[in-house]
Amino acid sequence: MIQLQYLIGGQSIMSDDFRLMIGTTFLPTISPRVDSVTVSGRSGVLMPAAPMVFDAPEITVKAFAKGDSAVMLMRRFYRLCSQASTLTRVERDTATGLSRRMVTRAVCTSCEPDGDDNPWSGTSMATAVFRLPDVYWRGVQWQEVTLAASGGRLLPGGVPNPSGKGYWTRWTGLPNASPSMLFDTLPDGWLSDAPITTLVLRFGAATGVTISDPASGTNLVWGGKRDASRPYLFIDVANRKAWTSSDSAAWSGGTDETGGIDWTTEPLQVWPDISSGDYRITIKQTGGTDKVTCRFLQSWE
């Protein structure tokens, strides 16, 4: 059984006198943004070759307050909705003890009462609708994975069988700087099940790289001259930016090298494999054979 808790703007207002019923984005309605082109003298339309992109979904929140402070609690709910910039979802699996926390940006598009409320009624109800600009929920702890120079598996879709040691371990945050969690199995999609939109890669001395995702058929290419005083190259996939630095931890930027960014199909999208749920990327490097460090947040529908 999965227990859910939601926080509006990072705050929980649940109590004996206040309850929230929140809709779900789990297995959401597929509403892709499809661009098509008509061509003179040709029947039908031309469709883009890249994987679909999606418009922002909506989630509905129903609030119910009771007791002498019902109206006061509901007014607080209204203030939270009007000022909130994020929604947080906390999931706990009571059968396995697994838990995870995810967050997404949110904008309240409407909030209105469900009844004829007054200060003496003893109950108050309202419905709010939030639009989620980022489409997907994101993890709150940055993950780091080191891959071979040619790429590899970024994240498994699930762990259906115990490891040879009888358990499987993963850092809850940065490697060697956060607690680790031990599991014998992990259900499919528990670690991540949506496109990863926060991937940043760190390379060594390469003068050219091609990063490809076999699941979506997309890629990102970078090429340029390198300054020996800045031995690290960083590429931000979602924002299509690149920079170099002398600091191996310069994940937020250094000397801009974005002019070397390009792609041959469509800009890189990192999707889970349809069958296994694994996230894999392939990498080709010119001028370097160093391992590649990847930093990202997990992603869920």
Side-chain angles (χ1 to χ4, degrees):
M1 178 179 177
I2 300 294
Q3 293 181 337
L4 292 178
Q5 179 187 10
Y6 284 89
L7 288 74
I8 301 175
Q11 297 187 50
S12 173
I13 56 175
M14 300 290 284
S15 68
D16 290 340
D17 293 332
F18 192 89
R19 287 290 182 267
L20 292 178
M21 292 180 58
I22 300 185
T24 181
T25 58
F26 177 69
L27 298 180
T29 300
I30 295 178
S31 55
R33 188 186 314 130
V34 179
D35 295 324
S36 60
V37 179
T38 60
V39 179
S40 297
R42 182 167 179 171
S43 300
V45 296
L46 298 180
M47 302 297 296
M52 295 184 296
V53 292
F54 295 87
D55 285 322
E58 290 185 337
I59 190 168
T60 301
V61 179
K62 290 184 176 292
F64 175 79
K66 65 178 182 177
D68 295 338
S69 58
V71 173
M72 180 191 70
L73 289 170
M74 192 57 67
R75 284 175 174 165
R76 184 187 176 202
F77 173 71
Y78 271 64
R79 290 195 297 271
L80 277 175
C81 290
S82 64
Q83 299 174 17
S85 59
T86 63
L87 284 178
T88 302
R89 186 168 83 193
V90 182
E91 298 183 1
R92 295 182 179 87
D93 187 334
T94 56
T96 64
L98 296 173
S99 66
R100 58 185 177 182
R101 177 182 290 252
M102 55 194 76
V103 67
T104 186
R105 289 189 302 160
V107 178
C108 182
T109 57
S110 68
C111 186
E112 58 185 39
D114 288 346
D116 297 327
D117 292 355
N118 63 70
W120 303 279
S121 67
T123 61
S124 185
M125 295 178 290
T127 298
V129 177
F130 288 88
R131 198 163 178 82
L132 311 181
D134 294 327
V135 181
Y136 306 109
W137 297 84
R138 296 176 178 174
V140 297
Q141 294 283 353
W142 286 97
Q143 307 292 327
E144 285 190 13
V145 175
T146 300
L147 302 180
S150 58
R153 188 172 71 174
L154 191 67
L155 188 67
V159 181
N161 300 306
S163 69
K165 295 181 179 179
Y167 62 86
W168 187 82
T169 182
R170 182 169 181 82
W171 299 107
T172 58
L174 297 180
N176 300 312
S178 65
S180 61
M181 302 180 73
L182 301 179
F183 307 101
D184 55 355
T185 62
L186 280 175
D188 178 51
W190 181 265
L191 290 174
S192 195
D193 63 13
I196 292 177
T197 60
T198 53
L199 178 62
V200 182
L201 302 97
R202 183 183 67 205
F203 295 87
T207 56
V209 299
T210 299
I211 312 157
S212 304
D213 174 39
S216 65
T218 58
N219 63 26
L220 206 62
V221 179
W222 181 89
K225 296 181 179 180
R226 297 293 303 276
D227 188 326
S229 65
R230 299 189 299 273
Y232 298 103
L233 167 69
F234 296 83
I235 295 180
D236 181 339
V237 170
N239 296 305
R240 298 193 279 278
K241 292 184 177 180
W243 61 91
T244 56
S245 177
S246 59
D247 182 2
S248 63
W251 295 103
S252 59
T255 301
D256 185 69
E257 299 287 352
T258 302
I261 289 283
D262 200 356
W263 51 88
T264 61
T265 54
E266 290 289 330
L268 181 63
Q269 298 182 43
V270 183
W271 284 71
D273 179 78
I274 292 175
S275 299
S276 67
D278 291 353
Y279 296 79
R280 292 182 179 274
I281 57 174
T282 58
I283 299 171
K284 294 182 180 179
Q285 298 192 46
T286 302
T289 57
D290 293 337
K291 292 183 178 180
V292 181
T293 300
C294 306
R295 193 170 191 254
F296 60 92
L297 294 171
Q298 293 150 288
S299 182
W300 293 275
E301 290 181 322

